[in-house]
Amino acid sequence: MLLQFSVNNYCSIKDTIVFSMATATKDNDNFFSVRNYDLLKSAVIYGANASGKSNLLRAIAFMGRLVLNKTKVLQSTDTLPHDPFKLNTSTKDASSSFEVVFFVDKTKYRYGFELDSTTIYSEWLYADENGKEAKLFYRDADDVHYVNRQKFKEGYQFFDKANKKIKITSNQLFLWKCDRESDGIIAKTILQWFSRLNLIDGLEHRGYENFTIKKMEDEDFRKEIVKLVKTADIGIEDITINKEEVPSEIIEKMPLPDEIKDRMIKNGGVTSISLNTYHKMYDANNKETGATQFELEDEESIGTRKFFKISAPILETLKEGKILLIDELDASLHPKLTRHLISLFHDKNINTKNAQLIFATHDTNLLKPHIFRRDQIWFSEKDKYGATTVYALAELKNVRKTEDFENQYIQGKYGAIPYLGKFEF
């Protein structure tokens, strides 16, 4: 469960910005409690095009990919991913910092690091089990290192007590070493939390299509997907997945190098996967006569295809209590469908595992007091120097919880809208 995320010097984000999922108002809906903290079930980010709302989501996902070492930094000569703010001479070659505060069961962790393309300059981990934060480890480029002997035994074995320095190469996270070379559970707990954090791009279906197809192979999960799709009133009664082996003569005709085609045939060939939808069919008197089959990719609308493909990551997030980040959630979806997906996270009878949804959108129809609290609504804005800032509606003064958020936003009361210039030939 995410409590807070902060980042600086990443893409369009120059100075430190802080994004929080902690409640900031006294409203009594759309939150859950952990210890003495109240956390939001969802948050929405608005802003003009190129204002940086997508970069905030990408920053969270970037931290997750790095912690899970998705870029495979294995050797001391491997480079780290690094994308600093490039519109200022003081930052274009400087390091970036990331920190996240989150809960695993009842324990609150605070973990972060500072890096550039060659070096982890600092890294830290704190844990709070009963209201008091304890430092588990800390390292920085000035050789000031610390490992808690009692509370972080899995990392203490790599601590050179004489020189007070952690034994690790400069481009490696200490968390990786503790996970690979010790039997401790804290590092694994941190990594497992990051593995439950997922980003999908609402404009690019391919990013989560394969995941949905894989989940369709589980019959119970397939039924859940169909059940959700049927609630969208798009006429689909069922969805099936079909697999067919591609004949070797077809593989031979593929525009691929011969060695690749030979390897494909040797390894058992290629399986063609297709998804079919089923709609009710009627006779001349409009009496139901059965069902007819459609090819999902060729015969269904873009919006229908997106709703289907996004259903699996949303259902899994709800069933497992994960965190889902979606950029452009509303793209190709009717506003009522978007609202329908959001309501799943707000429904305490459906979201029983305290899953969290964070998404960016331009759909102002969602800016309603009965959908979002003031602390759930965030805005991104760029200053005249090209740097992104973010702030919550709850931070603005004199905003009543019952006012027309959409109208006030369109009129520019909250900022974070484009200011259009005049065009003439």
Side-chain angles (χ1 to χ4, degrees), residues 147-158 182 184 186:
V147 180
N148 192 313
R149 183 175 184 176
Q150 299 300 323
K151 296 183 177 293
F152 198 60
K153 295 179 181 179
E154 62 199 75
Y156 192 75
Q157 60 184 302
F158 308 116
S182 76
I186 295 178

CSV table of all heavy atoms in Angstrom, one decimal, residues 147-158 182 184 186:
chain,number,residue,atom,x,y,z
A,147,VAL,N,24.9,0.1,8.9
A,147,VAL,CA,23.9,-1.1,8.8
A,147,VAL,C,23.5,-1.4,10.3
A,147,VAL,O,24.4,-1.6,11.1
A,147,VAL,CB,24.6,-2.3,8.1
A,147,VAL,CG1,23.6,-3.4,8.1
A,147,VAL,CG2,25.0,-1.9,6.7
A,148,ASN,N,22.3,-1.5,10.5
A,148,ASN,CA,21.7,-1.9,11.8
A,148,ASN,C,22.0,-3.3,12.1
A,148,ASN,O,21.4,-4.2,11.5
A,148,ASN,CB,20.2,-1.5,11.9
A,148,ASN,CG,19.7,-1.6,13.3
A,148,ASN,OD1,20.0,-2.5,14.1
A,148,ASN,ND2,18.9,-0.5,13.7
A,149,ARG,N,22.8,-3.6,13.1
A,149,ARG,CA,23.2,-5.0,13.4
A,149,ARG,C,22.0,-5.8,13.9
A,149,ARG,O,21.9,-7.0,13.6
A,149,ARG,CB,24.3,-5.0,14.4
A,149,ARG,CG,24.9,-6.4,14.8
A,149,ARG,CD,26.0,-6.3,15.7
A,149,ARG,NE,26.6,-7.6,16.0
A,149,ARG,CZ,27.7,-7.8,16.7
A,149,ARG,NH1,28.3,-6.7,17.3
A,149,ARG,NH2,28.2,-9.0,16.9
A,150,GLN,N,21.1,-5.2,14.6
A,150,GLN,CA,20.0,-6.0,15.2
A,150,GLN,C,18.8,-6.1,14.3
A,150,GLN,O,18.3,-7.2,14.2
A,150,GLN,CB,19.6,-5.3,16.5
A,150,GLN,CG,20.7,-5.2,17.6
A,150,GLN,CD,21.2,-6.5,18.0
A,150,GLN,OE1,20.4,-7.5,18.1
A,150,GLN,NE2,22.5,-6.6,18.3
A,151,LYS,N,18.5,-5.0,13.6
A,151,LYS,CA,17.3,-5.0,12.8
A,151,LYS,C,17.5,-5.3,11.4
A,151,LYS,O,16.5,-5.6,10.6
A,151,LYS,CB,16.6,-3.6,13.0
A,151,LYS,CG,16.1,-3.3,14.4
A,151,LYS,CD,15.4,-2.0,14.4
A,151,LYS,CE,14.9,-1.7,15.8
A,151,LYS,NZ,13.8,-2.7,16.2
A,152,PHE,N,18.7,-5.4,10.9
A,152,PHE,CA,19.0,-5.7,9.5
A,152,PHE,C,20.2,-6.6,9.4
A,152,PHE,O,21.2,-6.4,8.8
A,152,PHE,CB,19.2,-4.4,8.7
A,152,PHE,CG,19.1,-4.6,7.2
A,152,PHE,CD1,17.9,-5.0,6.7
A,152,PHE,CD2,20.1,-4.4,6.3
A,152,PHE,CE1,17.7,-5.2,5.3
A,152,PHE,CE2,20.0,-4.5,5.0
A,152,PHE,CZ,18.8,-5.0,4.4
A,153,LYS,N,20.1,-7.8,10.1
A,153,LYS,CA,21.1,-8.8,10.1
A,153,LYS,C,21.5,-9.3,8.7
A,153,LYS,O,22.7,-9.6,8.5
A,153,LYS,CB,20.7,-9.9,11.0
A,153,LYS,CG,20.5,-9.5,12.5
A,153,LYS,CD,20.1,-10.8,13.3
A,153,LYS,CE,19.9,-10.4,14.7
A,153,LYS,NZ,19.4,-11.5,15.6
A,154,GLU,N,20.6,-9.4,7.8
A,154,GLU,CA,20.9,-9.9,6.5
A,154,GLU,C,21.8,-9.0,5.7
A,154,GLU,O,22.5,-9.5,4.8
A,154,GLU,CB,19.6,-10.0,5.7
A,154,GLU,CG,18.8,-8.7,5.5
A,154,GLU,CD,17.4,-8.9,5.1
A,154,GLU,OE1,16.6,-9.3,6.0
A,154,GLU,OE2,17.1,-8.8,3.9
A,155,GLY,N,21.9,-7.7,6.1
A,155,GLY,CA,22.8,-6.8,5.4
A,155,GLY,C,24.1,-6.6,6.2
A,155,GLY,O,25.1,-6.1,5.7
A,156,TYR,N,24.1,-6.8,7.5
A,156,TYR,CA,25.2,-6.5,8.4
A,156,TYR,C,26.4,-7.4,8.0
A,156,TYR,O,27.6,-7.0,8.2
A,156,TYR,CB,24.8,-6.8,9.9
A,156,TYR,CG,25.9,-6.2,10.8
A,156,TYR,CD1,26.0,-4.8,11.0
A,156,TYR,CD2,26.7,-7.1,11.5
A,156,TYR,CE1,26.9,-4.3,11.9
A,156,TYR,CE2,27.7,-6.6,12.4
A,156,TYR,CZ,27.8,-5.2,12.6
A,156,TYR,OH,28.7,-4.7,13.4
A,157,GLN,N,26.2,-8.6,7.5
A,157,GLN,CA,27.3,-9.4,7.1
A,157,GLN,C,28.2,-8.8,6.0
A,157,GLN,O,29.3,-9.2,5.8
A,157,GLN,CB,26.8,-10.8,6.7
A,157,GLN,CG,25.9,-10.8,5.5
A,157,GLN,CD,25.3,-12.1,5.2
A,157,GLN,OE1,26.0,-13.1,4.9
A,157,GLN,NE2,23.9,-12.2,5.2
A,158,PHE,N,27.6,-7.9,5.2
A,158,PHE,CA,28.4,-7.2,4.1
A,158,PHE,C,28.9,-5.9,4.6
A,158,PHE,O,29.4,-5.1,3.7
A,158,PHE,CB,27.4,-7.0,2.9
A,158,PHE,CG,26.7,-8.3,2.5
A,158,PHE,CD1,25.3,-8.3,2.6
A,158,PHE,CD2,27.4,-9.4,2.1
A,158,PHE,CE1,24.7,-9.5,2.2
A,158,PHE,CE2,26.7,-10.5,1.7
A,158,PHE,CZ,25.4,-10.6,1.8
A,182,SER,N,22.0,-13.4,0.8
A,182,SER,CA,21.6,-13.6,2.2
A,182,SER,C,20.3,-14.3,2.3
A,182,SER,O,19.5,-14.4,1.3
A,182,SER,CB,21.6,-12.3,3.0
A,182,SER,OG,20.4,-11.6,2.7
A,184,GLY,N,18.0,-13.4,4.4
A,184,GLY,CA,17.1,-12.5,5.1
A,184,GLY,C,15.8,-12.2,4.4
A,184,GLY,O,15.7,-12.5,3.2
A,186,ILE,N,13.8,-9.2,4.8
A,186,ILE,CA,13.4,-7.8,4.6
A,186,ILE,C,13.7,-7.3,3.2
A,186,ILE,O,12.8,-6.7,2.5
A,186,ILE,CB,14.2,-6.8,5.6
A,186,ILE,CG1,13.8,-7.2,7.0
A,186,ILE,CG2,13.9,-5.4,5.3
A,186,ILE,CD1,14.5,-6.4,8.1
